[in-house]
Structures are given as structure tokens and as C-alpha cells.
Amino acid sequence: MIADNIKNVTQRIARCCEKSGRLVDDVQLVCVTKEASVEEIDQAIEAGIRIVGESRIQDAMAKHRIIGDRVTWHLIGHLQTNKVKDAVKMFSLIHSLDSLRLAKEINKEAEKLGKVQDVLVQVNISGEETKFGIAPGGIVEFLKQLSSYRNINIKGLMTIAPEVDDAEKVRPYFRALRQLRDKINAMHLASCELSILSMGMTNDFEVAIEEGANMVRIGRAIFR
Ligand SMILES: *Cc1c(COP(=O)(O)O)cnc(C)c1O
């Protein structure tokens, strides 16, 4: 049952926060619905879910037309520049800003809508060739280049850890992302205060929370 799964995940998050001396309210749960039907999403909302994460624009729009803004919509998947217009219309937070070209497009479309689009910069913290994201060493420069974009608000960083059999193996990546966030904040770059750390999925969210995640993206533990 979806409601039971959500209760279970919520309890695990709470226990983990307690264990690491964090406040439960400090960690936001993004319920990843990319493989869920509208009916299943409805059940999740009934069970208390307030944020849903989708990875493909087309699917997200179809679901959004039915479900509407009873929940907050986050984009967690890679965004192509030709889909930006639709993305800016429906998503409160885009987790996957990974290029200057994309930033330029988001800024342009947000400006047209009179919106300031909240975004996270996706970081390829593990350096895997198959992963999207800015390399850790290029983040500061990237953020500086974004500083002139008035219709983008950079709220934090996001990463996807490598798939491993034991979540302990990805702890160093989560730690590295938190340290990167702290380092950037200590630099006091213009209009750039990074508060959100979006990291941790079904297989590794507890380790991510222990390392400072305040937004976890969970799909399979809820819907499978
Ligand atoms: C699918 C997906 C998730 C959720 O993964 P689960 O293993 O189902 O919890 C989180 N983040 C991103 C970017 C995803 O694509």
C-alpha cells in the first residue's frame, strides 16, 4: 500500500534525522512519481505527500492537467532547451540545471512569464561520464556566469550518486556535495545563497541525510 510505504519512508527519515541531530522538518520529501499513475499519485497525496518529482516534461504535463496544483511540482530529470517553456510554466523547482545554454533559456522563458524560476545546479560529483551535471571544479565559475540572470534563483545543489550495492560506498560523494555547498556559501558570491542539498534516493537516502541532505527524492520505496 502506498500510504503504508509513505508512512514507512517518513518514519525512516525521522529516525535518521534524530540519529544525526537534525530536525525532522529540515528534510523535505520529494515523492518521485515518474513511474506512478495518476491514481497512484492521488493516493500519495491522500497520504500526505506535498511535493512530487517528475523527470519527463510530456508525462508531467499530462499528469499536471489532471492533478493540478494540489501538490508542488519539481522537475528532477534532464531538461532539454526546447522544453524549457513548458517546464517554467509548471515547475516550482528545477533540480537539473546543468549548462549555461539551459540557464539562458530558463531565464528568458521565466522573464516572459514574469516569474523568477527556482533552480538547483546539478553537480556530477562522482565524475561518471554517463551523468549530467557540472563538474565540481567548474561550479564556482558557473555560478558567477549565472549572476546576471535576473529571472533565475539558485537555491542549491543536486546530485545523483552512482548505483552501488552498499549505500556506504556513496557516502563520500554526499559529503563532498555538502562541503562544496558550504565552501561556495563561505565565498559569499553575489545573489547566491545555497540552502538546498537535493541528494538521496530509495537506495541511499539515509546516508544522504546523515551527510546533510535536506531534500530527498524517493520513488521506488513508495510505489514498488
Ligand atoms: C528516478 C529518480 C529518483 C528516484 O529514484 P528511486 O530509486 O525510485 O527512489 C530520484 N532522482 C532522480 C533524478 C530520478 O531520476
Coordinates of all heavy atoms in Angstrom, one line a residue, residues 112-189:
K112 N 9.6 36.1 -19.6 CA 8.4 36.2 -20.4 C 7.1 36.0 -19.5 O 6.1 36.7 -19.7 CB 8.3 35.2 -21.5 CG 9.1 35.6 -22.7 CD 8.8 34.6 -23.8 CE 9.9 34.5 -24.9 NZ 9.8 33.3 -25.7
L113 N 7.2 35.1 -18.5 CA 6.1 34.8 -17.7 C 6.1 35.7 -16.4 O 5.2 35.5 -15.6 CB 6.1 33.3 -17.2 CG 5.9 32.2 -18.2 CD1 6.0 30.9 -17.6 CD2 4.5 32.4 -18.8
G114 N 7.0 36.5 -16.3 CA 7.1 37.4 -15.1 C 7.4 36.6 -13.9 O 6.9 36.9 -12.8
K115 N 8.2 35.5 -14.0 CA 8.4 34.6 -12.9 C 9.9 34.6 -12.6 O 10.7 34.8 -13.5 CB 8.0 33.2 -13.4 CG 8.3 32.1 -12.4 CD 7.8 30.7 -13.0 CE 8.1 29.6 -12.0 NZ 7.6 28.3 -12.4
V116 N 10.3 34.3 -11.3 CA 11.6 34.0 -11.0 C 11.7 32.5 -10.8 O 11.0 32.0 -9.8 CB 12.1 34.8 -9.8 CG1 13.6 34.4 -9.4 CG2 12.1 36.3 -10.1
Q117 N 12.4 31.8 -11.6 CA 12.4 30.4 -11.5 C 13.4 29.9 -10.5 O 14.6 30.1 -10.6 CB 12.7 29.8 -12.9 CG 12.8 28.2 -12.9 CD 11.4 27.6 -12.7 OE1 10.4 27.8 -13.3 NE2 11.4 26.7 -11.7
D118 N 13.0 29.1 -9.5 CA 13.9 28.5 -8.6 C 14.6 27.3 -9.2 O 13.9 26.5 -9.9 CB 13.1 28.0 -7.3 CG 12.8 29.2 -6.4 OD1 13.3 30.3 -6.6 OD2 11.9 29.0 -5.5
V119 N 15.9 27.2 -9.1 CA 16.6 26.1 -9.7 C 17.7 25.5 -8.7 O 18.1 26.2 -7.8 CB 17.3 26.5 -11.0 CG1 16.4 27.0 -12.0 CG2 18.4 27.5 -10.7
L120 N 18.1 24.3 -9.0 CA 19.2 23.7 -8.3 C 20.2 23.4 -9.4 O 19.9 23.1 -10.5 CB 18.9 22.4 -7.6 CG 17.8 22.5 -6.6 CD1 17.5 21.1 -6.0 CD2 18.0 23.5 -5.5
V121 N 21.5 23.6 -9.1 CA 22.5 23.2 -10.1 C 22.9 21.8 -9.9 O 23.2 21.3 -8.7 CB 23.8 24.1 -9.9 CG1 24.9 23.6 -10.9 CG2 23.5 25.6 -10.2
Q122 N 22.7 21.0 -10.9 CA 23.1 19.6 -10.8 C 24.6 19.4 -11.0 O 25.2 20.0 -11.9 CB 22.4 18.7 -11.9 CG 22.7 17.3 -11.8 CD 21.8 16.4 -12.7 OE1 20.9 16.9 -13.3 NE2 22.2 15.1 -12.8
V123 N 25.2 18.7 -10.0 CA 26.6 18.5 -9.9 C 26.9 17.1 -10.2 O 26.4 16.2 -9.6 CB 27.2 18.9 -8.6 CG1 28.7 18.8 -8.5 CG2 26.7 20.3 -8.2
N124 N 27.9 16.8 -11.1 CA 28.4 15.5 -11.4 C 29.5 15.2 -10.4 O 30.7 15.2 -10.8 CB 28.8 15.3 -12.8 CG 29.2 13.9 -13.2 OD1 29.1 13.0 -12.3 ND2 29.5 13.7 -14.4
I125 N 29.1 14.9 -9.2 CA 30.1 14.8 -8.1 C 31.0 13.6 -8.2 O 32.1 13.6 -7.8 CB 29.4 14.9 -6.7 CG1 30.3 15.3 -5.6 CG2 28.7 13.6 -6.4 CD1 30.5 16.8 -5.5
S126 N 30.5 12.5 -8.9 CA 31.2 11.3 -9.0 C 32.1 11.2 -10.3 O 32.9 10.4 -10.4 CB 30.3 10.1 -9.0 OG 29.4 10.2 -10.1
G127 N 31.8 12.2 -11.2 CA 32.6 12.3 -12.4 C 32.3 11.2 -13.4 O 33.0 11.0 -14.3
E128 N 31.2 10.5 -13.2 CA 30.8 9.4 -14.2 C 30.5 10.0 -15.5 O 29.7 11.0 -15.6 CB 29.6 8.7 -13.7 CG 29.8 7.8 -12.5 CD 28.5 7.3 -11.9 OE1 27.8 8.0 -11.3 OE2 28.2 6.1 -12.2
E129 N 31.0 9.4 -16.6 CA 30.8 10.0 -17.9 C 29.3 10.0 -18.3 O 28.9 10.8 -19.2 CB 31.6 9.2 -18.9 CG 33.0 9.7 -19.0 CD 33.9 8.9 -20.0 OE1 33.3 8.3 -20.9 OE2 35.1 8.9 -19.8
T130 N 28.5 9.0 -17.8 CA 27.1 8.9 -18.2 C 26.2 9.9 -17.5 O 25.1 10.0 -17.8 CB 26.6 7.5 -17.8 OG1 26.9 7.3 -16.4 CG2 27.3 6.4 -18.6
K131 N 26.8 10.6 -16.5 CA 25.9 11.5 -15.8 C 25.9 13.0 -16.3 O 27.0 13.5 -16.7 CB 26.4 11.5 -14.3 CG 26.1 10.2 -13.6 CD 25.1 10.4 -12.5 CE 24.4 9.1 -12.1 NZ 25.3 8.1 -11.4
F132 N 24.7 13.6 -16.2 CA 24.7 15.0 -16.5 C 25.2 15.7 -15.2 O 25.3 15.2 -14.2 CB 23.2 15.4 -16.7 CG 22.7 14.9 -18.0 CD1 21.7 13.9 -18.0 CD2 23.1 15.5 -19.2 CE1 21.2 13.4 -19.3 CE2 22.6 15.0 -20.4 CZ 21.6 14.0 -20.4
G133 N 25.5 17.0 -15.4 CA 25.8 17.8 -14.3 C 27.2 18.6 -14.5 O 28.0 18.1 -15.3
I134 N 27.3 19.6 -13.8 CA 28.5 20.4 -13.8 C 29.6 19.7 -13.0 O 29.3 19.2 -11.9 CB 28.3 21.8 -13.3 CG1 27.1 22.5 -13.9 CG2 29.5 22.7 -13.4 CD1 27.3 23.0 -15.4
A135 N 30.8 19.7 -13.5 CA 31.9 19.1 -12.7 C 32.2 20.0 -11.4 O 32.0 21.2 -11.5 CB 33.2 19.1 -13.5
P136 N 32.5 19.4 -10.3 CA 32.6 20.2 -9.1 C 33.6 21.3 -9.2 O 33.4 22.4 -8.7 CB 33.2 19.1 -8.1 CG 32.8 17.8 -8.6 CD 32.7 17.9 -10.1
G137 N 34.7 21.1 -10.0 CA 35.7 22.1 -10.2 C 35.2 23.3 -11.0 O 35.9 24.4 -11.0
G138 N 34.1 23.2 -11.7 CA 33.6 24.2 -12.5 C 32.4 25.0 -11.9 O 31.9 26.0 -12.6
I139 N 32.0 24.6 -10.8 CA 30.8 25.2 -10.2 C 30.9 26.7 -9.9 O 30.0 27.5 -10.2 CB 30.4 24.4 -8.9 CG1 30.0 23.0 -9.2 CG2 29.3 25.2 -8.1 CD1 28.7 22.9 -9.9
V140 N 32.0 27.1 -9.3 CA 32.1 28.5 -8.9 C 32.0 29.4 -10.1 O 31.3 30.4 -10.2 CB 33.4 28.7 -8.1 CG1 33.6 30.2 -7.9 CG2 33.3 28.0 -6.8
E141 N 32.8 29.0 -11.1 CA 32.8 29.8 -12.4 C 31.4 29.8 -13.0 O 30.9 30.8 -13.4 CB 33.8 29.1 -13.4 CG 34.0 29.9 -14.6 CD 34.5 31.4 -14.3 OE1 35.2 31.6 -13.3 OE2 34.0 32.3 -15.1
F142 N 30.7 28.6 -13.0 CA 29.4 28.5 -13.5 C 28.4 29.5 -12.8 O 27.7 30.2 -13.4 CB 28.9 27.1 -13.4 CG 27.5 26.8 -13.9 CD1 27.3 26.9 -15.3 CD2 26.5 26.4 -13.1 CE1 26.0 26.6 -15.8 CE2 25.2 26.2 -13.6 CZ 25.0 26.3 -15.0
L143 N 28.5 29.5 -11.4 CA 27.6 30.3 -10.6 C 27.9 31.8 -10.9 O 26.9 32.6 -11.0 CB 27.8 30.1 -9.2 CG 27.3 28.7 -8.7 CD1 27.7 28.4 -7.2 CD2 25.8 28.6 -8.8
K144 N 29.1 32.1 -11.1 CA 29.5 33.5 -11.4 C 28.8 34.0 -12.8 O 28.4 35.1 -12.9 CB 31.0 33.7 -11.5 CG 31.6 33.8 -10.1 CD 33.1 34.0 -10.2 CE 33.7 34.0 -8.8 NZ 35.2 33.9 -8.8
Q145 N 28.9 33.0 -13.7 CA 28.3 33.3 -15.0 C 26.8 33.5 -15.0 O 26.2 34.2 -15.8 CB 28.7 32.2 -16.0 CG 30.1 32.3 -16.4 CD 30.6 31.1 -17.2 OE1 30.1 30.0 -17.0 NE2 31.4 31.3 -18.2
L146 N 26.1 32.9 -14.0 CA 24.7 33.0 -13.8 C 24.2 34.3 -13.1 O 23.0 34.6 -13.1 CB 24.2 31.8 -13.0 CG 24.3 30.4 -13.6 CD1 23.6 29.4 -12.7 CD2 23.7 30.3 -15.0
S147 N 25.2 35.0 -12.5 CA 24.8 36.1 -11.6 C 24.0 37.2 -12.3 O 23.3 37.9 -11.7 CB 26.0 36.6 -10.9 OG 26.9 37.2 -11.9
S148 N 24.1 37.3 -13.7 CA 23.4 38.3 -14.4 C 22.0 38.0 -14.8 O 21.2 38.8 -15.2 CB 24.2 38.8 -15.6 OG 24.3 37.7 -16.5
Y149 N 21.6 36.7 -14.5 CA 20.3 36.2 -14.9 C 19.3 36.6 -13.8 O 19.2 35.9 -12.8 CB 20.3 34.7 -15.2 CG 21.1 34.3 -16.4 CD1 21.8 33.2 -16.4 CD2 21.1 35.1 -17.6 CE1 22.6 32.8 -17.6 CE2 21.8 34.8 -18.7 CZ 22.6 33.6 -18.7 OH 23.3 33.3 -19.8
R150 N 18.5 37.6 -14.1 CA 17.6 38.1 -13.0 C 16.4 37.2 -12.8 O 15.7 37.3 -11.7 CB 17.1 39.5 -13.5 CG 18.1 40.5 -13.6 CD 18.5 41.2 -12.2 NE 19.7 41.9 -12.3 CZ 20.9 41.4 -11.8 NH1 20.9 40.2 -11.1 NH2 22.0 42.0 -11.9
N151 N 16.1 36.3 -13.7 CA 14.8 35.5 -13.5 C 15.1 34.1 -13.1 O 14.3 33.2 -13.3 CB 14.0 35.6 -14.8 CG 13.4 37.0 -15.0 OD1 14.1 37.9 -15.4 ND2 12.2 37.2 -14.6
I152 N 16.3 33.9 -12.6 CA 16.7 32.6 -12.1 C 17.2 32.8 -10.7 O 17.9 33.7 -10.4 CB 17.9 31.9 -12.9 CG1 17.4 31.5 -14.3 CG2 18.4 30.7 -12.1 CD1 18.4 30.8 -15.1
N153 N 16.6 31.9 -9.8 CA 17.1 32.0 -8.4 C 17.7 30.7 -8.0 O 17.1 29.6 -8.0 CB 15.9 32.3 -7.5 CG 16.3 32.5 -6.0 OD1 17.4 32.7 -5.7 ND2 15.3 32.4 -5.1
I154 N 19.0 30.7 -7.8 CA 19.7 29.4 -7.5 C 19.6 29.1 -6.0 O 20.2 29.8 -5.2 CB 21.2 29.5 -7.9 CG1 21.3 30.0 -9.3 CG2 21.9 28.2 -7.7 CD1 22.6 30.7 -9.6
K155 N 18.9 28.0 -5.7 CA 18.5 27.7 -4.3 C 19.5 26.6 -3.7 O 19.5 26.4 -2.5 CB 17.1 27.1 -4.3 CG 16.0 28.0 -4.8 CD 15.6 29.1 -3.8 CE 14.8 28.5 -2.7 NZ 14.3 29.6 -1.8
G156 N 20.3 25.9 -4.6 CA 21.1 24.9 -4.0 C 21.7 24.0 -5.1 O 21.8 24.3 -6.2
L157 N 22.1 22.8 -4.6 CA 22.8 21.9 -5.4 C 22.1 20.5 -5.4 O 21.4 20.2 -4.4 CB 24.2 21.6 -5.0 CG 25.1 22.9 -4.9 CD1 26.5 22.5 -4.3 CD2 25.3 23.6 -6.2
M158 N 22.2 19.8 -6.5 CA 21.6 18.5 -6.6 C 22.6 17.5 -7.1 O 23.4 17.9 -8.0 CB 20.4 18.5 -7.5 CG 19.7 17.2 -7.8 SD 20.3 16.2 -9.1 CE 18.8 15.7 -9.9
T159 N 22.6 16.3 -6.7 CA 23.4 15.2 -7.3 C 22.7 13.9 -7.3 O 21.8 13.7 -6.5 CB 24.8 15.1 -6.7 OG1 25.7 14.5 -7.6 CG2 24.8 14.3 -5.4
I160 N 23.1 13.0 -8.2 CA 22.7 11.6 -8.3 C 23.9 10.8 -8.0 O 24.9 10.8 -8.8 CB 22.1 11.3 -9.7 CG1 20.9 12.3 -10.0 CG2 21.6 9.9 -9.7 CD1 20.4 12.1 -11.4
A161 N 23.9 10.0 -7.0 CA 25.0 9.2 -6.6 C 25.1 8.0 -7.6 O 24.1 7.6 -8.2 CB 24.9 8.7 -5.2
P162 N 26.3 7.4 -7.8 CA 26.4 6.2 -8.6 C 25.6 5.1 -8.0 O 25.3 5.1 -6.8 CB 27.9 5.8 -8.4 CG 28.6 7.1 -8.0 CD 27.6 7.8 -7.2
E163 N 25.2 4.1 -8.8 CA 24.4 3.0 -8.3 C 25.4 2.0 -7.7 O 26.3 1.5 -8.4 CB 23.6 2.3 -9.4 CG 22.3 3.0 -9.7 CD 21.5 2.3 -10.7 OE1 21.4 1.1 -10.7 OE2 21.0 3.0 -11.6
V164 N 25.2 1.6 -6.5 CA 26.2 0.7 -5.8 C 25.3 -0.3 -5.0 O 24.2 -0.1 -4.7 CB 27.1 1.4 -4.9 CG1 28.1 2.3 -5.7 CG2 26.4 2.3 -3.9
D165 N 26.0 -1.4 -4.6 CA 25.2 -2.4 -3.8 C 25.1 -2.0 -2.3 O 24.2 -2.3 -1.7 CB 25.9 -3.8 -3.9 CG 27.4 -3.7 -3.7 OD1 27.9 -2.6 -3.3 OD2 28.1 -4.7 -4.1
D166 N 26.1 -1.2 -1.9 CA 26.1 -0.8 -0.5 C 26.1 0.7 -0.4 O 27.1 1.4 -0.8 CB 27.3 -1.4 0.2 CG 27.5 -0.9 1.6 OD1 26.6 -0.2 2.1 OD2 28.6 -1.2 2.2
A167 N 25.1 1.3 0.2 CA 24.9 2.8 0.3 C 26.1 3.5 0.9 O 26.4 4.6 0.6 CB 23.7 3.2 1.0
E168 N 26.8 2.8 1.8 CA 28.0 3.4 2.4 C 29.1 3.8 1.4 O 29.8 4.8 1.7 CB 28.7 2.3 3.4 CG 28.0 2.3 4.8 CD 28.0 3.6 5.5 OE1 28.9 4.4 5.4 OE2 26.9 3.9 6.1
K169 N 29.1 3.1 0.3 CA 30.1 3.5 -0.8 C 29.8 4.9 -1.4 O 30.7 5.4 -2.0 CB 30.0 2.4 -1.9 CG 30.6 1.1 -1.4 CD 30.6 0.1 -2.6 CE 31.1 -1.3 -2.1 NZ 30.6 -2.3 -3.0
V170 N 28.6 5.4 -1.3 CA 28.3 6.7 -1.9 C 28.4 7.8 -0.8 O 28.3 9.0 -1.2 CB 27.0 6.8 -2.6 CG1 27.1 5.9 -3.9 CG2 25.8 6.3 -1.8
R171 N 28.7 7.5 0.4 CA 28.8 8.5 1.5 C 29.8 9.6 1.1 O 29.5 10.8 1.3 CB 29.1 7.8 2.8 CG 29.1 8.8 4.0 CD 29.5 8.2 5.3 NE 28.6 7.2 5.8 CZ 27.5 7.5 6.5 NH1 27.2 8.7 6.8 NH2 26.7 6.5 6.9
P172 N 30.9 9.2 0.6 CA 31.9 10.3 0.2 C 31.4 11.3 -0.8 O 31.8 12.5 -0.7 CB 33.1 9.5 -0.4 CG 33.0 8.1 0.2 CD 31.5 7.9 0.3
Y173 N 30.6 10.8 -1.7 CA 30.0 11.8 -2.7 C 29.0 12.7 -2.1 O 29.0 13.9 -2.4 CB 29.3 11.0 -3.8 CG 30.2 10.1 -4.6 CD1 30.0 8.7 -4.6 CD2 31.4 10.6 -5.3 CE1 30.9 7.8 -5.3 CE2 32.2 9.7 -5.9 CZ 32.0 8.4 -6.0 OH 32.8 7.6 -6.6
F174 N 28.2 12.2 -1.2 CA 27.2 13.1 -0.5 C 28.0 14.1 0.4 O 27.7 15.3 0.4 CB 26.3 12.3 0.4 CG 25.3 11.4 -0.4 CD1 25.0 10.2 0.1 CD2 24.8 11.9 -1.6 CE1 24.1 9.4 -0.7 CE2 23.9 11.1 -2.4 CZ 23.6 9.8 -1.9
R175 N 29.0 13.6 1.1 CA 29.8 14.5 1.9 C 30.5 15.6 1.0 O 30.5 16.8 1.4 CB 30.9 13.7 2.7 CG 31.7 14.5 3.6 CD 32.5 13.7 4.5 NE 31.6 12.8 5.4 CZ 32.1 11.9 6.2 NH1 33.4 11.6 6.3 NH2 31.3 11.1 6.9
A176 N 31.0 15.2 -0.1 CA 31.7 16.1 -1.0 C 30.7 17.2 -1.5 O 31.1 18.4 -1.6 CB 32.3 15.4 -2.2
L177 N 29.5 16.8 -1.8 CA 28.5 17.9 -2.2 C 28.2 18.9 -1.1 O 28.1 20.1 -1.4 CB 27.2 17.2 -2.7 CG 26.3 18.2 -3.5 CD1 26.9 18.5 -4.9 CD2 24.9 17.7 -3.7
R178 N 28.0 18.3 0.1 CA 27.8 19.2 1.2 C 28.9 20.2 1.4 O 28.8 21.4 1.6 CB 27.5 18.5 2.5 CG 27.0 19.4 3.6 CD 27.4 19.0 5.0 NE 27.8 17.6 5.3 CZ 28.8 17.2 6.0 NH1 29.6 18.1 6.5 NH2 29.1 16.0 6.1
Q179 N 30.1 19.7 1.3 CA 31.3 20.5 1.5 C 31.4 21.5 0.4 O 31.8 22.7 0.7 CB 32.6 19.6 1.6 CG 32.7 18.8 2.9 CD 33.8 17.8 2.9 OE1 34.3 17.4 1.9 NE2 34.1 17.3 4.1
L180 N 31.1 21.2 -0.8 CA 31.1 22.1 -1.9 C 30.1 23.2 -1.7 O 30.4 24.4 -1.8 CB 30.8 21.3 -3.2 CG 30.8 22.1 -4.5 CD1 32.2 22.7 -4.8 CD2 30.3 21.3 -5.7
R181 N 28.9 22.9 -1.2 CA 27.9 23.9 -0.9 C 28.4 24.8 0.2 O 28.3 26.1 0.1 CB 26.6 23.1 -0.4 CG 25.3 24.0 -0.3 CD 24.9 24.5 1.1 NE 25.3 23.6 2.2 CZ 24.4 23.0 2.9 NH1 23.1 23.0 2.6 NH2 24.8 22.3 4.0
D182 N 29.0 24.3 1.2 CA 29.5 25.1 2.3 C 30.6 26.0 1.9 O 30.7 27.2 2.3 CB 29.9 24.2 3.5 CG 28.8 23.5 4.2 OD1 27.6 23.8 3.9 OD2 29.1 22.5 4.9
K183 N 31.5 25.5 1.0 CA 32.6 26.3 0.5 C 32.1 27.5 -0.3 O 32.5 28.6 -0.2 CB 33.5 25.4 -0.4 CG 34.8 26.1 -0.8 CD 35.5 25.2 -1.8 CE 35.2 25.6 -3.2 NZ 36.0 24.9 -4.3
I184 N 31.1 27.2 -1.2 CA 30.5 28.2 -2.0 C 29.8 29.3 -1.2 O 30.0 30.5 -1.4 CB 29.5 27.6 -3.0 CG1 30.3 26.8 -4.1 CG2 28.8 28.7 -3.8 CD1 29.5 25.9 -4.9
N185 N 29.1 28.9 -0.2 CA 28.4 29.8 0.7 C 29.4 30.7 1.4 O 29.2 31.9 1.6 CB 27.5 29.1 1.7 CG 26.1 28.7 1.0 OD1 25.8 29.2 0.0 ND2 25.5 27.8 1.6
A186 N 30.5 30.1 1.8 CA 31.5 30.9 2.5 C 32.2 32.0 1.6 O 32.8 32.9 2.1 CB 32.6 30.0 3.1
M187 N 32.0 31.8 0.3 CA 32.6 32.8 -0.6 C 31.7 34.0 -0.8 O 32.1 35.0 -1.4 CB 32.8 32.1 -2.0 CG 33.9 31.0 -2.0 SD 33.9 30.0 -3.5 CE 34.8 31.2 -4.6
H188 N 30.5 33.9 -0.4 CA 29.5 35.0 -0.5 C 29.5 35.6 -1.9 O 29.6 36.8 -2.1 CB 29.8 36.1 0.6 CG 29.8 35.6 2.0 ND1 28.7 35.2 2.6 CD2 30.8 35.3 2.8 CE1 29.0 34.8 3.8 NE2 30.3 34.8 4.0
L189 N 29.2 34.7 -2.8 CA 29.1 35.2 -4.2 C 27.8 36.0 -4.3 O 26.8 35.8 -3.6 CB 28.9 34.0 -5.2 CG 30.1 33.0 -5.2 CD1 29.8 31.8 -6.1 CD2 31.3 33.7 -5.7

